[in-house]
Amino acid sequence: MRVLGVSYGYHDSAVSLVENGRVLEYVTEERMTNIKHDASYPHFAINYCLKKHGLSPRDLDHVTFHEDPYHKFSRVFCASTSRYPWTYLEFTESIKEWFKRKLWALGHLQKELQVPEGRISYFSHHFSHALTAFMGSGFEESAILVMDAVGDWSCSSMYKGFWKDGAPQIQTLREVPFPNSVGLVYSAITAYLGFNPNDGECSTMALSSFGNPKYVADFREILGVGQGDGYQVDQSYFNFIRFYKKPYTKKFEQRFGPPKLKSMKYGFDCLLNFDQQSVSDDEQRLADIACSLQTVFEEILELFVEKVLQETGSRNLAYAGGCALNCKANSKVLSKRPQLQMYIPFDPGDGGTSMGTAQFVAATENRQGFQLSNHVQLPYIGSDSSDHHVVDMIDCFSPESFRNHQFSHFRKKSFSELEDLAKEIAHQIANQQIVGLYQGRSEAGPRALGNRSILIHPGQVDLARKLSREVKERSSFRPYALTVLASEAERIFESDSHLTRHAKWMQYVVKVKPEHSAALRAGLHCDLTTRAHLVEPSENPLLYFILLEMKKLTGYGAVINTSFNGSGYPIVGSASQALSMLTRTSMNSLVLGTTLLEKIP
Ligand SMILES: [Fe+2]
C-alpha cells in the first residue's frame, strides 16, 4: 500500500511517501524552493517524490492531510468575530483568505493528485502531531504530548497510544483550546525580543541562557501556572485574537518595559562564560525576560508531562509539536525521570505531520504490511540531489570568475575510499579550515546531522567567530553544537548516561565536563552546555570516519556541526546552492558526494 502524506498552508510544507508502512521519502518544500519555512502547496516536493520512484498520482492508494480545514476555519471565524467590530480587519482579511484558498485545501489536493474523495483522509492538526510522535516512536504503548502555537483549535493536547489487533490506536485524553496557548506566548515574547515568530524561538531559548530568572513570578501569574488545565494565559497581555496587531499588548510593555529596539544588537557572546558577559542594562533586562519565560515554559511542560504520564500509567513519552524543539526544556524532563523513555520525531513541527498521518493510514488499512519496527530510526530520509554534475562545471571557471571572492581557483579531488576522504576532511578541520559537507540524502527536520553540515574545529573560538560573521551571518549569542563519536560521550559529558543516551540527534542539551570545556569551547554555550549529536559507525560512515580521524589528530572525536545555510535561508537543497555558498562566503572547502573542492588563494 502506497500513501502520500501532505502538510501545507501555515508553515513548513512537506510531503511523505510511505510504502508498505515504511517511510521512503520525507521532503520539505523549502529545500526545493530555497524559501525558508515555505508554506505553499508542495508542488516541487510531490513531483520529486513521485518522479524518484517512477510513480504517477494514479499509483497512490491514499493521500493524507494534516488538519481539518473546516474545524480550523471554525476557530478562525469564532476568533475573528469574537470582538467584532474591533476585529473587523481580522474578520474581513481572514474570511477573504479562507474562502479564496484555505477552506478548499482538500478539493485542491483531490484535483491536483486526481485521487477520488474517498481516498483522502484528514485529521485534526494536533492528532496529526500525535500520530507522528507515536508512529515514529516504535513504542508498543505510550503517553503522547503535543504542544505548539495552535492547531485547528488545540494548543496543548494529551493522548494515549497503543496497538490493538495489529493496528495503532490513539485515544484523546485532554485538549487545551485556543487562545490558551503557552506556545503562542513563547512566540509573542520572541517577537518582543526582536526575533521573527515561528522561526526565532531558538534565539529566545539561546538568549535565555544569559539571563537571570528575575521575572519568573510575573510570568507565573500571567500564564496562570497551575490553573485550569495546567495554565491559564491572561489574554490582556497578548493579541492572539487580533492577529494583525503586535502579538503583545501595551499592558505587557508597561509591565516589562519597551521591546527590543531595531537598532539594538545583542552583545552577548556564547563563546564567553556566563559571568564574563558585558552588556547594557537593557540587553540584560531582555535576557532576564527570556530566561524567566523559558523557566516558566519548562514548569508548564513539566506539569503536562507529569499529568499525561499519570493518566496513561506509561513509562514512555512520545512528544511532538513546535515546542518539542526546545531542547533545554526537553533535557529537564528527562533528567528528572531516569526511568522515562522519551521519543521526539526528527521533525516534530508541522512538516513532520505528513509522515505520521501517512504511516497511520498505511498501518490501519494494511495491518499485515506494517511492522512496529518500521518506525523511522535514522533522519536521512530527505531529498537527494541529482546535480552533482556542478562539480564538472568548475573546470570551466577562469580565475577571472572569482575576482571578487579573493581566491583564484578550485582544487578538485575525487576519492574512491571513504576513509581517505574522511582523513583529508579531518586534516583540513584540524588546520582551522571551514568545511561544507554535502553528501547523501538530507536530514529530516531542522537540524543538520552530517549530510548538509558545515564543520569546524571545536577548540578554535576565533574560528567560530569567523564562521558566525563571515559564513552564517548569525548573532554572537547563538551557540554552535557538537557532533561527537558516541563512544566518546561518557568521557566528555557530565550529564547522566540516561540523558546522554537520548541526546543523540540534537534534541536535548548536555553539559560538558569542566576538564574538557577548553578543548571543546567553540561548540559550547555560555553555560558550557551543547546540543549533542552522537554518531555510531553504521549511521553515517563518512562522519564517523571524520570523527575517528579528529580523535587521532586532536585527542577528541568531536567537531562543531552547524547547518549548511546562510542567514534567512533554509538548509541548502542542491549541490549548486552548496557550491554558491562556498564561493561567496569564507568557507574553505566543500565535499560534494565523494569529491572535495578546495578554494585556492
Ligand atoms: Fe503544529
Side-chain angles (χ1 to χ4, degrees):
M1 186 180 189
R2 210 174 274 130
V3 186
L4 190 76
V6 180
S7 61
Y8 77 95
Y10 187 47
H11 49 78
D12 300 308
S13 300
V15 174
S16 298
L17 180 63
V18 172
E19 195 172 273
N20 297 328
R22 281 189 54 239
V23 180
L24 300 184
E25 302 289 334
Y26 173 72
V27 182
T28 51
E29 190 71 353
E30 67 166 22
R31 305 287 173 93
M32 300 278 134
T33 60
N34 205 25
I35 299 168
K36 199 171 186 188
H37 302 307
D38 195 341
S40 53
Y41 178 80
H43 274 292
F44 293 101
I46 291 173
N47 286 343
Y48 171 88
C49 291
L50 295 181
K51 197 172 160 197
K52 181 172 169 185
H53 293 272
L55 303 173
S56 80
R58 276 192 305 277
D59 299 315
L60 300 172
D61 296 301
H62 216 96
V63 173
T64 60
F65 191 56
H66 72 121
E67 66 182 16
D68 177 342
Y70 313 112
H71 198 214
K72 186 169 177 180
F73 176 67
S74 72
R75 188 254 296 166
V76 174
F77 183 81
C78 290
S80 61
T81 52
S82 63
R83 293 191 195 159
Y84 200 84
W86 289 276
T87 52
Y88 174 79
L89 183 64
E90 285 77 10
F91 175 72
T92 51
E93 289 303 312
S94 56
I95 293 291
K96 229 189 285 173
E97 173 73 8
W98 272 83
F99 273 91
K100 195 169 131 196
R101 197 169 55 90
K102 291 185 172 174
L103 201 50
W104 323 117
L106 297 170
H108 185 66
L109 263 181
Q110 199 187 329
K111 196 171 144 208
E112 286 284 341
L113 294 170
Q114 298 289 307
V115 176
E117 198 181 340
R119 288 206 219 149
I120 296 186
S121 298
Y122 59 95
F123 305 89
S124 81
H125 183 69
H126 268 218
F127 197 79
S128 299
H129 275 305
L131 294 177
T132 307
F134 185 62
M135 298 303 293
S137 69
F139 293 143
E140 289 195 13
E141 58 75 31
S142 86
I144 305 171
L145 179 63
V146 177
M147 289 176 88
D148 66 2
V150 57
D152 304 344
W153 267 100
S154 304
C155 301
S156 308
S157 316
M158 298 179 195
Y159 306 85
K160 180 177 172 61
F162 56 96
W163 290 78
K164 192 178 171 196
D165 302 330
Q169 311 283 325
I170 309 281
Q171 283 175 355
T172 305
L173 302 176
R174 254 164 223 266
E175 293 184 322
V176 179
F178 177 82
N180 193 21
S181 170
V182 65
L184 278 174
V185 169
Y186 206 98
S187 291
I189 312 288
T190 291
Y192 173 86
L193 297 171
F195 314 119
N196 292 329
N198 295 325
D199 178 50
E201 283 76 3
C202 53
S203 294
T204 301
M205 184 177 67
L207 188 65
S208 73
S209 295
F210 298 98
N212 297 299
K214 276 171 68 172
Y215 302 98
V216 159
D218 298 79
F219 276 104
R220 277 188 195 135
E221 182 199 320
I222 289 172
L223 274 94
V225 177
Q227 294 175 30
D229 288 314
Y231 64 92
Q232 191 67 50
V233 177
D234 183 340
Q235 298 293 326
S236 64
Y237 288 92
F238 302 101
N239 282 319
F240 298 150
I241 287 172
R242 301 195 65 186
F243 42 79
Y244 279 96
K245 298 188 109 190
K246 279 191 293 194
Y248 50 89
T249 60
K250 273 265 168 297
K251 188 173 172 183
F252 187 90
E253 289 186 39
Q254 280 158 4
R255 185 155 182 173
F256 293 96
K260 178 189 166 289
L261 292 172
K262 271 202 171 118
S263 56
M264 191 188 98
K265 260 188 142 188
Y266 287 111
F268 293 104
D269 186 348
C270 65
L271 299 170
L272 296 174
N273 292 356
F274 180 79
D275 52 3
Q276 296 171 315
Q277 308 293 323
S278 169
V279 294
S280 68
D281 289 349
D282 218 29
E283 286 166 79
Q284 191 59 54
R285 173 181 66 88
L286 294 169
D288 292 344
I289 288 170
C291 177
S292 307
L293 168 71
Q294 175 71 25
T295 306
V296 175
F297 171 75
E298 287 167 7
E299 288 176 4
I300 290 172
L301 176 62
E302 181 62 28
L303 279 173
F304 273 72
V305 168
E306 204 46 50
K307 208 172 258 189
V308 74
L309 290 177
Q310 263 177 21
E311 289 194 18
T312 57
S314 182
R315 283 185 171 181
N316 300 323
L317 175 66
Y319 175 36
C323 296
L325 287 166
N326 194 310
C327 43
K328 280 181 79 173
N330 299 344
S331 301
K332 295 265 170 72
V333 169
L334 260 185
S335 55
K336 283 187 186 164
R337 296 178 178 79
Q339 304 300 324
L340 182 68
Q341 294 305 312
M342 191 163 164
Y343 171 77
I344 298 172
F346 294 112
D347 192 347
D350 283 5
T353 55
S354 63
M355 209 185 300
T357 52
Q359 282 182 296
F360 179 72
V361 167
T364 307
E365 301 285 318
N366 183 17
R367 299 181 186 193
Q368 279 78 37
F370 194 89
Q371 305 289 321
L372 199 58
S373 58
N374 279 345
H375 69 278
V376 180
Q377 298 179 40
L378 292 176
Y380 309 109
I381 51 174
S383 55
D384 201 350
S385 165
S386 55
D387 63 346
H388 282 166
H389 60 270
V390 298
V391 169
D392 302 327
M393 281 163 35
I394 284 157
D395 300 328
C396 308
F397 294 148
S398 71
E400 262 309 279
S401 316
F402 309 117
R403 200 169 30 151
N404 297 325
H405 295 288
Q406 295 169 345
F407 67 100
S408 66
H409 66 284
F410 289 111
R411 182 188 294 149
K412 186 168 83 175
K413 197 172 170 189
S414 289
F415 292 80
S416 53
E417 297 296 328
L418 223 47
E419 282 104 322
D420 295 336
L421 173 60
K423 265 184 196 165
E424 182 65 36
I425 297 169
H427 273 273
Q428 293 208 359
I429 295 170
N431 286 316
Q432 304 194 29
Q433 304 289 289
I434 302 175
V435 182
L437 201 52
Y438 186 97
Q439 59 148 347
R441 299 178 65 179
S442 67
E443 305 86 342
R447 271 89 191 225
L449 298 161
N451 282 13
R452 303 288 183 273
S453 292
I454 297 174
L455 310 180
I456 65 164
H457 193 302
Q460 301 292 332
V461 167
D462 287 342
L463 189 63
R465 289 207 167 91
K466 181 180 172 183
L467 178 65
S468 293
R469 206 174 48 241
E470 298 177 20
V471 178
K472 298 280 293 182
E473 295 172 28
R474 69 195 244 160
S475 311
S476 58
F477 70 86
R478 289 189 55 199
Y480 288 111
L482 285 179
T483 286
V484 174
L485 283 173
S487 55
E488 289 268 84
E490 208 173 308
R491 177 172 82 100
I492 291 174
F493 300 125
E494 191 174 79
S495 308
D496 62 80
S497 57
H498 179 62
L499 174 57
T500 308
R501 248 196 328 277
H502 276 77
K504 255 194 76 65
W505 304 108
M506 295 195 186
Q507 290 153 321
Y508 305 86
V509 294
V510 290
K511 195 154 190 178
V512 166
K513 288 177 183 168
E515 61 268 34
H516 300 302
S517 62
L520 302 168
R521 185 63 188 87
L524 309 180
H525 204 354
C526 62
D527 53 3
L528 307 183
T529 60
T530 190
R531 269 181 298 126
H533 169 210
L534 307 184
V535 181
E536 300 279 359
S538 59
E539 292 166 353
N540 194 324
L542 179 60
L543 194 56
Y544 174 73
F545 290 136
I546 293 171
L547 294 169
L548 271 188
E549 200 59 30
M550 283 298 289
K551 183 157 169 67
K552 283 185 206 158
L553 294 170
T554 67
Y556 289 91
V559 290
I560 285 184
N561 175 4
T562 184
S563 55
F564 200 151
N565 64 324
S567 175
Y569 289 93
I571 292 176
V572 290
S574 68
S576 43
Q577 284 168 15
L579 180 62
S580 155
M581 208 163 149
L582 172 68
T583 307
R584 68 187 153 78
T585 71
S586 292
M587 285 173 66
N588 299 101
S589 46
L590 167 66
V591 178
L592 282 178
T594 52
T595 302
L596 179 69
L597 298 172
E598 196 181 344
K599 284 192 323 201
I600 304 297

